[in-house]
Amino acid sequence: MEAIKKGIYRHFKGKDYVVYGTFRHSETKEMYVAYRALHGKQDNWIRPLYMFTSLAEKNGEFIPRFEFIKEVGDET
C-alpha cells in the first residue's frame, strides 16, 4: 500500500494540517489521505492521495501541494 508519513504538513497556501494516514476506498480501491486543519474550526478532510502529493502552481513555480514539516505523536 502506498502511504505517506503521518505528521504536520504545510499547504502551499501557508496553513498547517495534521495527517492521520492513508486509507483505501472499499469499492474503488483508490487511496485517500485523511487530515485535520490546525486552524479555524479544525475540520477533518480527505483527499485522494494523488492530489495530496501533486504539485501546485504558486507565483509561476510548481511546488508540492503539501510539504512535510515534522512528525508528531498521537496527542495531535
Side-chain angles (χ1 to χ4, degrees):
M1 172 165 71
E2 187 177 355
I4 61 170
K5 285 186 189 180
K6 295 178 184 178
I8 306 296
Y9 285 76
R10 183 157 297 135
H11 188 262
F12 78 101
K13 292 182 180 176
K15 302 224 173 158
D16 289 349
Y17 298 83
V18 61
V19 167
Y20 297 122
T22 53
F23 302 87
R24 186 178 307 278
H25 189 287
S26 63
E27 299 296 322
T28 67
K29 308 300 185 222
E30 184 176 13
M31 296 299 295
Y32 286 85
V33 177
Y35 58 102
R36 178 174 51 88
L38 294 176
H39 57 275
K41 295 180 183 179
Q42 297 193 346
D43 290 333
N44 289 299
W45 299 94
I46 64 167
R47 181 185 293 249
L49 178 61
Y50 79 90
M51 288 179 75
F52 192 92
T53 59
S54 69
L55 299 178
E57 187 175 0
K58 183 174 182 180
N59 301 324
E61 183 180 352
F62 287 94
I63 60 173
R65 183 172 304 279
F66 286 89
E67 177 186 4
F68 181 75
I69 302 298
K70 67 178 182 175
E71 291 185 40
V72 294
D74 292 334
E75 73 281 354
T76 306

